[in-house]
Amino acid sequence: MAEVLALGVREVQVWSARVDEAAVKAAVGLLNEEEQARMERMRLGIARHEFVVGRAMLRVLAGATAACGPREVTIGVGEFGKPRVEGVEFSVAHSHGLVVLALCCEAVVGVDVEWMEREIEALEIARSSFAEGEVKRIELAAEGAELAREFFAVWTRKEAMVKAHGQGLTIPLQSFEAPEGEAEQAVELVVKGVGQRLYVRGIDVGDGFAGALAVGVEGLKVRMVELAGEALVKFLSV
């Protein structure tokens, strides 16, 4: 079983998990009545599985931080509908059966993940939704073999930033530009005249996926933990 590590000083933990039927079965028992009702309203399929496993992982990890059991964790809803847990900042993302959860005690955090191996009108979406500089980067990539990689690098960074800010997609995506490269970079995200500095980087979440992390404090250590198969089932069997 993967050890549930206490959140360290100046640290962000990023947990990733591959969803399967066994993990879902182990996770369901950790959900409260409202979460189980929400699960039942969802169609059978990967999105439902991602929700169940992601919420159960959050309960295990937040419970460890708060020194309580997973079922005792209170998950509320903050402004703009963002879920919240007292004492810890977190962000959850999922795509194509991969769930990624970032946690931090010192600063706001946002994470995103996207499966890249799918058909998508990248240039069309970029031109209608991204900032001018990002569109130019993607247009240049279209001349080579890096179109999908560049598009999803921009997409995941922008999503991570708006999640960390807390207002989500109420923030127009054309109103700010995501940084390039994998190393951490500072970006000032200004919404309605109020600025927030975020530190944004790419993260490795496995072949075929793009991932990004945004936090509100510079230079935090990022600890990556991957769960799959039996290790994930044991992690959820608490």
PDB file of all heavy atoms in Angstrom, residues 26-52:
ATOM      1  N   ALA A  26     -13.773  -0.473  -4.303  1.00  0.00           N
ATOM      2  CA  ALA A  26     -13.165  -0.119  -3.014  1.00  0.00           C
ATOM      3  C   ALA A  26     -13.510   1.300  -2.598  1.00  0.00           C
ATOM      4  O   ALA A  26     -13.640   1.599  -1.411  1.00  0.00           O
ATOM      5  CB  ALA A  26     -11.652  -0.282  -3.104  1.00  0.00           C
ATOM      6  N   ALA A  27     -13.686   2.194  -3.584  1.00  0.00           N
ATOM      7  CA  ALA A  27     -13.890   3.612  -3.287  1.00  0.00           C
ATOM      8  C   ALA A  27     -15.303   3.946  -2.842  1.00  0.00           C
ATOM      9  O   ALA A  27     -15.503   4.868  -2.043  1.00  0.00           O
ATOM     10  CB  ALA A  27     -13.533   4.445  -4.520  1.00  0.00           C
ATOM     11  N   VAL A  28     -16.307   3.216  -3.346  1.00  0.00           N
ATOM     12  CA  VAL A  28     -17.709   3.579  -3.104  1.00  0.00           C
ATOM     13  C   VAL A  28     -18.019   3.675  -1.617  1.00  0.00           C
ATOM     14  O   VAL A  28     -18.741   4.584  -1.168  1.00  0.00           O
ATOM     15  CB  VAL A  28     -18.652   2.565  -3.791  1.00  0.00           C
ATOM     16  CG1 VAL A  28     -20.081   2.742  -3.304  1.00  0.00           C
ATOM     17  CG2 VAL A  28     -18.596   2.736  -5.303  1.00  0.00           C
ATOM     18  N   GLY A  29     -17.471   2.779  -0.820  1.00  0.00           N
ATOM     19  CA  GLY A  29     -17.767   2.767   0.605  1.00  0.00           C
ATOM     20  C   GLY A  29     -17.253   3.969   1.367  1.00  0.00           C
ATOM     21  O   GLY A  29     -17.660   4.198   2.512  1.00  0.00           O
ATOM     22  N   LEU A  30     -16.365   4.771   0.742  1.00  0.00           N
ATOM     23  CA  LEU A  30     -15.839   5.962   1.408  1.00  0.00           C
ATOM     24  C   LEU A  30     -16.694   7.196   1.153  1.00  0.00           C
ATOM     25  O   LEU A  30     -16.500   8.226   1.801  1.00  0.00           O
ATOM     26  CB  LEU A  30     -14.402   6.237   0.938  1.00  0.00           C
ATOM     27  CG  LEU A  30     -13.367   5.149   1.234  1.00  0.00           C
ATOM     28  CD1 LEU A  30     -11.997   5.583   0.745  1.00  0.00           C
ATOM     29  CD2 LEU A  30     -13.319   4.827   2.722  1.00  0.00           C
ATOM     30  N   LEU A  31     -17.640   7.103   0.230  1.00  0.00           N
ATOM     31  CA  LEU A  31     -18.475   8.257  -0.105  1.00  0.00           C
ATOM     32  C   LEU A  31     -19.610   8.422   0.893  1.00  0.00           C
ATOM     33  O   LEU A  31     -20.121   7.440   1.439  1.00  0.00           O
ATOM     34  CB  LEU A  31     -19.063   8.095  -1.512  1.00  0.00           C
ATOM     35  CG  LEU A  31     -18.092   7.829  -2.660  1.00  0.00           C
ATOM     36  CD1 LEU A  31     -18.834   7.887  -3.991  1.00  0.00           C
ATOM     37  CD2 LEU A  31     -16.920   8.797  -2.651  1.00  0.00           C
ATOM     38  N   ASN A  32     -20.040   9.660   1.110  1.00  0.00           N
ATOM     39  CA  ASN A  32     -21.202   9.890   1.968  1.00  0.00           C
ATOM     40  C   ASN A  32     -22.483   9.714   1.153  1.00  0.00           C
ATOM     41  O   ASN A  32     -22.449   9.433  -0.056  1.00  0.00           O
ATOM     42  CB  ASN A  32     -21.133  11.266   2.642  1.00  0.00           C
ATOM     43  CG  ASN A  32     -21.185  12.422   1.646  1.00  0.00           C
ATOM     44  OD1 ASN A  32     -21.605  12.265   0.499  1.00  0.00           O
ATOM     45  ND2 ASN A  32     -20.767  13.596   2.092  1.00  0.00           N
ATOM     46  N   GLU A  33     -23.628   9.897   1.794  1.00  0.00           N
ATOM     47  CA  GLU A  33     -24.902   9.642   1.119  1.00  0.00           C
ATOM     48  C   GLU A  33     -25.103  10.568  -0.084  1.00  0.00           C
ATOM     49  O   GLU A  33     -25.588  10.129  -1.136  1.00  0.00           O
ATOM     50  CB  GLU A  33     -26.056   9.804   2.108  1.00  0.00           C
ATOM     51  CG  GLU A  33     -26.112   8.715   3.168  1.00  0.00           C
ATOM     52  CD  GLU A  33     -27.312   8.863   4.066  1.00  0.00           C
ATOM     53  OE1 GLU A  33     -28.122   9.792   3.839  1.00  0.00           O
ATOM     54  OE2 GLU A  33     -27.445   8.061   5.011  1.00  0.00           O
ATOM     55  N   GLU A  34     -24.770  11.835   0.070  1.00  0.00           N
ATOM     56  CA  GLU A  34     -24.949  12.780  -1.034  1.00  0.00           C
ATOM     57  C   GLU A  34     -24.072  12.401  -2.215  1.00  0.00           C
ATOM     58  O   GLU A  34     -24.498  12.483  -3.384  1.00  0.00           O
ATOM     59  CB  GLU A  34     -24.624  14.196  -0.553  1.00  0.00           C
ATOM     60  CG  GLU A  34     -24.922  15.296  -1.570  1.00  0.00           C
ATOM     61  CD  GLU A  34     -23.815  15.472  -2.613  1.00  0.00           C
ATOM     62  OE1 GLU A  34     -22.643  15.229  -2.262  1.00  0.00           O
ATOM     63  OE2 GLU A  34     -24.138  15.836  -3.761  1.00  0.00           O
ATOM     64  N   GLU A  35     -22.836  12.001  -1.940  1.00  0.00           N
ATOM     65  CA  GLU A  35     -21.919  11.621  -3.014  1.00  0.00           C
ATOM     66  C   GLU A  35     -22.372  10.338  -3.705  1.00  0.00           C
ATOM     67  O   GLU A  35     -22.269  10.211  -4.934  1.00  0.00           O
ATOM     68  CB  GLU A  35     -20.506  11.464  -2.443  1.00  0.00           C
ATOM     69  CG  GLU A  35     -19.896  12.780  -1.997  1.00  0.00           C
ATOM     70  CD  GLU A  35     -18.710  12.617  -1.077  1.00  0.00           C
ATOM     71  OE1 GLU A  35     -18.556  11.518  -0.481  1.00  0.00           O
ATOM     72  OE2 GLU A  35     -17.945  13.579  -0.922  1.00  0.00           O
ATOM     73  N   GLN A  36     -22.891   9.402  -2.920  1.00  0.00           N
ATOM     74  CA  GLN A  36     -23.394   8.172  -3.531  1.00  0.00           C
ATOM     75  C   GLN A  36     -24.629   8.447  -4.384  1.00  0.00           C
ATOM     76  O   GLN A  36     -24.804   7.854  -5.459  1.00  0.00           O
ATOM     77  CB  GLN A  36     -23.694   7.130  -2.459  1.00  0.00           C
ATOM     78  CG  GLN A  36     -22.439   6.612  -1.781  1.00  0.00           C
ATOM     79  CD  GLN A  36     -22.689   5.400  -0.908  1.00  0.00           C
ATOM     80  OE1 GLN A  36     -23.665   4.690  -1.074  1.00  0.00           O
ATOM     81  NE2 GLN A  36     -21.786   5.158   0.032  1.00  0.00           N
ATOM     82  N   ALA A  37     -25.479   9.372  -3.935  1.00  0.00           N
ATOM     83  CA  ALA A  37     -26.644   9.752  -4.736  1.00  0.00           C
ATOM     84  C   ALA A  37     -26.208  10.425  -6.027  1.00  0.00           C
ATOM     85  O   ALA A  37     -26.777  10.170  -7.105  1.00  0.00           O
ATOM     86  CB  ALA A  37     -27.556  10.676  -3.929  1.00  0.00           C
ATOM     87  N   ARG A  38     -25.204  11.270  -5.938  1.00  0.00           N
ATOM     88  CA  ARG A  38     -24.667  11.909  -7.148  1.00  0.00           C
ATOM     89  C   ARG A  38     -24.115  10.863  -8.099  1.00  0.00           C
ATOM     90  O   ARG A  38     -24.337  10.940  -9.318  1.00  0.00           O
ATOM     91  CB  ARG A  38     -23.577  12.908  -6.764  1.00  0.00           C
ATOM     92  CG  ARG A  38     -22.895  13.582  -7.946  1.00  0.00           C
ATOM     93  CD  ARG A  38     -21.883  14.595  -7.465  1.00  0.00           C
ATOM     94  NE  ARG A  38     -21.059  15.090  -8.554  1.00  0.00           N
ATOM     95  CZ  ARG A  38     -20.045  15.945  -8.408  1.00  0.00           C
ATOM     96  NH1 ARG A  38     -19.752  16.419  -7.190  1.00  0.00           N
ATOM     97  NH2 ARG A  38     -19.328  16.336  -9.441  1.00  0.00           N
ATOM     98  N   MET A  39     -23.413   9.883  -7.552  1.00  0.00           N
ATOM     99  CA  MET A  39     -22.881   8.795  -8.366  1.00  0.00           C
ATOM    100  C   MET A  39     -23.997   8.071  -9.106  1.00  0.00           C
ATOM    101  O   MET A  39     -23.894   7.780 -10.302  1.00  0.00           O
ATOM    102  CB  MET A  39     -22.116   7.814  -7.476  1.00  0.00           C
ATOM    103  CG  MET A  39     -21.600   6.570  -8.191  1.00  0.00           C
ATOM    104  SD  MET A  39     -21.045   5.293  -7.035  1.00  0.00           S
ATOM    105  CE  MET A  39     -22.645   4.711  -6.419  1.00  0.00           C
ATOM    106  N   GLU A  40     -25.105   7.800  -8.411  1.00  0.00           N
ATOM    107  CA  GLU A  40     -26.213   7.063  -9.013  1.00  0.00           C
ATOM    108  C   GLU A  40     -26.885   7.852 -10.131  1.00  0.00           C
ATOM    109  O   GLU A  40     -27.454   7.265 -11.057  1.00  0.00           O
ATOM    110  CB  GLU A  40     -27.244   6.699  -7.936  1.00  0.00           C
ATOM    111  CG  GLU A  40     -26.751   5.698  -6.902  1.00  0.00           C
ATOM    112  CD  GLU A  40     -26.436   4.342  -7.511  1.00  0.00           C
ATOM    113  OE1 GLU A  40     -26.974   4.027  -8.596  1.00  0.00           O
ATOM    114  OE2 GLU A  40     -25.641   3.594  -6.906  1.00  0.00           O
ATOM    115  N   ARG A  41     -26.815   9.178 -10.058  1.00  0.00           N
ATOM    116  CA  ARG A  41     -27.413  10.014 -11.099  1.00  0.00           C
ATOM    117  C   ARG A  41     -26.566  10.075 -12.361  1.00  0.00           C
ATOM    118  O   ARG A  41     -27.044  10.478 -13.424  1.00  0.00           O
ATOM    119  CB  ARG A  41     -27.652  11.439 -10.581  1.00  0.00           C
ATOM    120  CG  ARG A  41     -28.726  11.537  -9.508  1.00  0.00           C
ATOM    121  CD  ARG A  41     -29.124  12.984  -9.274  1.00  0.00           C
ATOM    122  NE  ARG A  41     -28.028  13.802  -8.791  1.00  0.00           N
ATOM    123  CZ  ARG A  41     -27.720  14.003  -7.518  1.00  0.00           C
ATOM    124  NH1 ARG A  41     -28.439  13.398  -6.564  1.00  0.00           N
ATOM    125  NH2 ARG A  41     -26.710  14.789  -7.162  1.00  0.00           N
ATOM    126  N   MET A  42     -25.305   9.692 -12.237  1.00  0.00           N
ATOM    127  CA  MET A  42     -24.394   9.737 -13.379  1.00  0.00           C
ATOM    128  C   MET A  42     -24.544   8.483 -14.229  1.00  0.00           C
ATOM    129  O   MET A  42     -24.869   7.403 -13.721  1.00  0.00           O
ATOM    130  CB  MET A  42     -22.940   9.869 -12.898  1.00  0.00           C
ATOM    131  CG  MET A  42     -22.668  11.114 -12.082  1.00  0.00           C
ATOM    132  SD  MET A  42     -20.976  11.179 -11.414  1.00  0.00           S
ATOM    133  CE  MET A  42     -20.048  11.531 -12.918  1.00  0.00           C
ATOM    134  N   ARG A  43     -24.314   8.620 -15.510  1.00  0.00           N
ATOM    135  CA  ARG A  43     -24.341   7.460 -16.388  1.00  0.00           C
ATOM    136  C   ARG A  43     -23.198   6.513 -16.052  1.00  0.00           C
ATOM    137  O   ARG A  43     -22.114   6.937 -15.650  1.00  0.00           O
ATOM    138  CB  ARG A  43     -24.206   7.897 -17.856  1.00  0.00           C
ATOM    139  CG  ARG A  43     -25.414   8.622 -18.418  1.00  0.00           C
ATOM    140  CD  ARG A  43     -25.190   8.902 -19.887  1.00  0.00           C
ATOM    141  NE  ARG A  43     -26.331   9.564 -20.502  1.00  0.00           N
ATOM    142  CZ  ARG A  43     -26.405   9.888 -21.787  1.00  0.00           C
ATOM    143  NH1 ARG A  43     -25.394   9.610 -22.588  1.00  0.00           N
ATOM    144  NH2 ARG A  43     -27.493  10.479 -22.260  1.00  0.00           N
ATOM    145  N   LEU A  44     -23.444   5.220 -16.250  1.00  0.00           N
ATOM    146  CA  LEU A  44     -22.365   4.267 -16.101  1.00  0.00           C
ATOM    147  C   LEU A  44     -21.284   4.580 -17.129  1.00  0.00           C
ATOM    148  O   LEU A  44     -21.568   4.892 -18.281  1.00  0.00           O
ATOM    149  CB  LEU A  44     -22.875   2.843 -16.318  1.00  0.00           C
ATOM    150  CG  LEU A  44     -23.776   2.267 -15.213  1.00  0.00           C
ATOM    151  CD1 LEU A  44     -24.360   0.931 -15.650  1.00  0.00           C
ATOM    152  CD2 LEU A  44     -22.995   2.118 -13.914  1.00  0.00           C
ATOM    153  N   GLY A  45     -20.039   4.517 -16.700  1.00  0.00           N
ATOM    154  CA  GLY A  45     -18.952   4.805 -17.620  1.00  0.00           C
ATOM    155  C   GLY A  45     -17.774   5.426 -16.912  1.00  0.00           C
ATOM    156  O   GLY A  45     -17.738   5.548 -15.683  1.00  0.00           O
ATOM    157  N   ILE A  46     -16.787   5.839 -17.694  1.00  0.00           N
ATOM    158  CA  ILE A  46     -15.524   6.278 -17.127  1.00  0.00           C
ATOM    159  C   ILE A  46     -15.661   7.551 -16.302  1.00  0.00           C
ATOM    160  O   ILE A  46     -14.982   7.719 -15.281  1.00  0.00           O
ATOM    161  CB  ILE A  46     -14.473   6.451 -18.242  1.00  0.00           C
ATOM    162  CG1 ILE A  46     -13.072   6.552 -17.645  1.00  0.00           C
ATOM    163  CG2 ILE A  46     -14.807   7.642 -19.129  1.00  0.00           C
ATOM    164  CD1 ILE A  46     -12.619   5.296 -16.958  1.00  0.00           C
ATOM    165  N   ALA A  47     -16.542   8.474 -16.702  1.00  0.00           N
ATOM    166  CA  ALA A  47     -16.692   9.719 -15.935  1.00  0.00           C
ATOM    167  C   ALA A  47     -17.200   9.423 -14.525  1.00  0.00           C
ATOM    168  O   ALA A  47     -16.761  10.042 -13.550  1.00  0.00           O
ATOM    169  CB  ALA A  47     -17.638  10.675 -16.652  1.00  0.00           C
ATOM    170  N   ARG A  48     -18.125   8.502 -14.411  1.00  0.00           N
ATOM    171  CA  ARG A  48     -18.635   8.103 -13.098  1.00  0.00           C
ATOM    172  C   ARG A  48     -17.529   7.465 -12.267  1.00  0.00           C
ATOM    173  O   ARG A  48     -17.373   7.777 -11.079  1.00  0.00           O
ATOM    174  CB  ARG A  48     -19.796   7.127 -13.283  1.00  0.00           C
ATOM    175  CG  ARG A  48     -20.362   6.539 -12.008  1.00  0.00           C
ATOM    176  CD  ARG A  48     -21.675   5.855 -12.321  1.00  0.00           C
ATOM    177  NE  ARG A  48     -22.088   4.939 -11.267  1.00  0.00           N
ATOM    178  CZ  ARG A  48     -23.295   4.389 -11.178  1.00  0.00           C
ATOM    179  NH1 ARG A  48     -24.208   4.668 -12.091  1.00  0.00           N
ATOM    180  NH2 ARG A  48     -23.587   3.557 -10.210  1.00  0.00           N
ATOM    181  N   HIS A  49     -16.746   6.615 -12.881  1.00  0.00           N
ATOM    182  CA  HIS A  49     -15.646   5.972 -12.163  1.00  0.00           C
ATOM    183  C   HIS A  49     -14.614   6.992 -11.695  1.00  0.00           C
ATOM    184  O   HIS A  49     -14.086   6.897 -10.576  1.00  0.00           O
ATOM    185  CB  HIS A  49     -14.983   4.925 -13.058  1.00  0.00           C
ATOM    186  CG  HIS A  49     -15.849   3.738 -13.325  1.00  0.00           C
ATOM    187  ND1 HIS A  49     -15.487   2.724 -14.182  1.00  0.00           N
ATOM    188  CD2 HIS A  49     -17.072   3.391 -12.839  1.00  0.00           C
ATOM    189  CE1 HIS A  49     -16.444   1.809 -14.224  1.00  0.00           C
ATOM    190  NE2 HIS A  49     -17.415   2.195 -13.418  1.00  0.00           N
ATOM    191  N   GLU A  50     -14.316   7.959 -12.553  1.00  0.00           N
ATOM    192  CA  GLU A  50     -13.350   8.990 -12.181  1.00  0.00           C
ATOM    193  C   GLU A  50     -13.847   9.801 -10.993  1.00  0.00           C
ATOM    194  O   GLU A  50     -13.067  10.122 -10.079  1.00  0.00           O
ATOM    195  CB  GLU A  50     -13.100   9.908 -13.381  1.00  0.00           C
ATOM    196  CG  GLU A  50     -12.319   9.254 -14.507  1.00  0.00           C
ATOM    197  CD  GLU A  50     -12.372  10.057 -15.792  1.00  0.00           C
ATOM    198  OE1 GLU A  50     -13.207  10.995 -15.891  1.00  0.00           O
ATOM    199  OE2 GLU A  50     -11.581   9.765 -16.705  1.00  0.00           O
ATOM    200  N   PHE A  51     -15.133  10.145 -10.980  1.00  0.00           N
ATOM    201  CA  PHE A  51     -15.680  10.897  -9.851  1.00  0.00           C
ATOM    202  C   PHE A  51     -15.557  10.105  -8.559  1.00  0.00           C
ATOM    203  O   PHE A  51     -15.116  10.631  -7.527  1.00  0.00           O
ATOM    204  CB  PHE A  51     -17.146  11.248 -10.102  1.00  0.00           C
ATOM    205  CG  PHE A  51     -17.875  11.680  -8.858  1.00  0.00           C
ATOM    206  CD1 PHE A  51     -17.621  12.922  -8.292  1.00  0.00           C
ATOM    207  CD2 PHE A  51     -18.779  10.829  -8.227  1.00  0.00           C
ATOM    208  CE1 PHE A  51     -18.262  13.316  -7.124  1.00  0.00           C
ATOM    209  CE2 PHE A  51     -19.422  11.217  -7.062  1.00  0.00           C
ATOM    210  CZ  PHE A  51     -19.167  12.468  -6.505  1.00  0.00           C
ATOM    211  N   VAL A  52     -15.955   8.840  -8.589  1.00  0.00           N
ATOM    212  CA  VAL A  52     -15.953   8.009  -7.374  1.00  0.00           C
ATOM    213  C   VAL A  52     -14.542   7.858  -6.824  1.00  0.00           C
ATOM    214  O   VAL A  52     -14.295   8.076  -5.625  1.00  0.00           O
ATOM    215  CB  VAL A  52     -16.573   6.633  -7.676  1.00  0.00           C
ATOM    216  CG1 VAL A  52     -16.382   5.685  -6.487  1.00  0.00           C
ATOM    217  CG2 VAL A  52     -18.051   6.767  -8.008  1.00  0.00           C
TER     218      VAL A  52
END
